[in-house]
Amino acid sequence: MTSVTRIDTVRLGGQDGPEIGVQGFGSMGISEFYGDTNEAAARDTLEAALEAGVTLVDTADIYGSGANEEFLAPFLAAHRDEVTLATKFAIERRADDPAYRAVRNDPAYVRRAVENSLRRLGIETIDLYYMHRRDPAVPFAESVGAMAELVREGKVRHLGLSEVTGPELREAHAVHPIAALQSEWSLFSRDVERSAVGAAAELGVTFVPYSPLGRGFLTGSFADATKDLSGGDFRRHQPRFTGENAERNAALLDPVRKIAAAHGATPAQIALAWVQQRASVHGLTVVPIPGTRKRARLQENAAATRIVLTADELAALEPIADRVAGDRYPDMSSTSAAREA
């Protein structure tokens, strides 16, 4: 397995942004969605992240209904000057209905959400505050305008968006500079290349790919979510990871494994190296945020930043996304793909 001591750095959102590691850390799975967590191991993994130079830590108020932000609070208290903390608002949940989800972008909700996140995180300022999902019924002038007020008040330093199209990114950027765009981007998911990637490159917006490992499928850690994962794992409900779709998609991993063997690396590292290399392919800053709860996996992920794939290897990986069976979510209505022209 390729090893690494400390990863390189880039600027978030251009020269005025903070210096961060070229790979970040997604903390979602610590609190929910991917089965049980050993909290001591997860805290050790956060320490390993800083040791490797992984300084962008990503959470959201929806993860564990606030529990993920609370989990990060002691880590932030100990390492506030070393961490660039990103969190998100916009997906509303209800304690009396676990299945309930609603997208809220109205200014009153933005205000309430940021105050709650600041309280749970135990900090005075959020480094990067994302709109997690877009409600097209609320004009960007209102929702991004409300986010911009938080910057002026010192509650937030930089603004981000998640799952928006290129035209939407340009519209929001005209209201207030957007530092980062976070959307799913991996060997299995490339719909962001239709318009969002080009707009981000044009505007100098850092692209933050979430699920760069295809929620673990690209690593080979499971082949069929229904058969291989626990009952509480939400991947059991994602169309591309079950049944005939999973069987077809598993066959697409052969070139990933072959390239990994040639590099003395793991399939996960090749998948991450591909995402990292989108920076040079598309001419923009790319900071993926793989998640893990294990120190060894964190170190493995960070080491992928040193792998450079050849033109032939990139060509072998190029057809994969077009052959993937099944959507990213059972309901794609809140994704940018649903709003592409």
Side-chain angles (χ1 to χ4, degrees):
M1 182 183 75
T2 301
S3 61
V4 69
T5 51
R6 194 167 179 87
I7 64 175
D8 292 338
T9 61
V10 292
R11 288 283 178 184
L12 175 70
Q15 293 305 308
D16 294 333
E19 187 175 18
I20 59 174
V22 74
Q23 184 182 106
F25 179 83
S27 67
M28 181 181 81
I30 291 174
S31 299
E32 196 177 9
F33 303 110
Y34 293 131
D36 295 335
T37 292
N38 180 314
E39 289 199 2
R43 293 198 182 281
D44 181 61
T45 301
L46 288 170
E47 297 293 336
L50 287 186
E51 293 166 12
V54 176
T55 56
L56 176 65
V57 176
D58 182 273
T59 183
D61 59 5
I62 188 180
Y63 301 159
S65 296
N68 197 254
E69 291 180 327
E70 292 173 345
F71 177 86
L72 290 173
F75 174 72
L76 293 172
H79 301 288
R80 188 66 190 101
D81 293 341
E82 302 169 75
V83 173
T84 297
L85 188 282
T87 192
K88 315 177 197 73
F89 76 92
I91 303 178
E92 185 178 42
R93 302 177 74 170
R94 289 179 178 169
D96 60 351
D97 183 0
Y100 178 84
R101 301 288 189 278
V103 177
R104 295 281 302 274
N105 293 171
D106 56 281
Y109 185 83
V110 175
R111 172 70 57 178
R112 186 163 69 251
V114 76
E115 296 294 350
N116 287 335
S117 286
L118 288 167
R119 173 180 50 79
R120 287 189 292 260
L121 290 162
I123 59 179
E124 295 182 355
T125 306
I126 294 166
D127 299 310
L128 175 59
Y129 198 44
Y130 286 102
M131 178 191 294
H132 205 164
R133 291 293 185 271
R134 168 116 199 257
D135 177 5
V138 180
F140 261 139
E142 294 182 16
S143 51
V144 179
M147 295 169 71
E149 288 181 10
L150 303 179
V151 176
R152 288 190 287 271
E153 294 171 8
K155 298 180 185 297
V156 171
R157 290 192 175 92
H158 302 278
L159 302 185
L161 302 172
S162 179
E163 290 284 354
V164 299
T165 66
E168 290 172 335
L169 177 59
R170 290 188 180 92
E171 182 182 351
H173 196 77
V175 177
H176 187 279
I178 302 299
L181 169 58
Q182 180 179 143
S183 291
E184 187 164 352
W185 199 8
S186 73
L187 281 169
F188 266 28
S189 299
R190 297 179 60 177
D191 51 82
V192 293
E193 294 174 24
R194 296 178 198 167
S195 69
V197 169
E202 172 191 321
L203 298 170
V205 174
T206 296
F207 207 107
V208 180
Y210 73 79
S211 298
L213 295 173
R215 301 195 184 278
F217 194 85
L218 287 165
T219 72
S221 62
F222 71 98
D224 186 312
T226 304
K227 298 175 182 177
D228 302 336
L229 301 178
S230 64
D233 196 305
F234 93 122
R235 290 170 291 184
R236 291 166 59 94
H237 306 289
Q238 292 185 294
R240 61 180 48 170
F241 301 141
T242 58
E244 292 183 4
N245 286 347
E247 184 177 352
R248 288 175 58 186
N249 293 338
L252 299 176
L253 300 181
D254 286 344
V256 181
R257 285 190 284 265
K258 290 177 182 177
I259 294 169
H263 282 267
T266 66
Q269 289 179 314
I270 298 306
L272 284 172
W274 182 89
V275 175
Q276 299 277 180
Q277 218 156 320
R278 298 301 91 193
S280 58
V281 171
H282 294 280
L284 77 168
T285 300
V286 177
V287 182
I289 49 169
T292 182
R293 294 167 287 190
K294 298 177 180 179
R295 171 179 281 265
R297 288 285 179 253
L298 184 286
Q299 293 168 337
E300 175 185 326
N301 291 346
T305 65
R306 302 297 190 202
I307 298 174
V308 178
L309 303 176
T310 67
D312 287 345
E313 289 168 341
L314 292 174
L317 299 172
E318 183 66 23
I320 291 177
D322 287 339
R323 298 173 182 171
V324 172
D327 283 333
R328 296 193 274 132
Y329 297 101
D331 179 3
M332 291 284 287
S333 61
S334 292
T335 68
S336 58
R339 300 191 301 278
E340 288 284 0

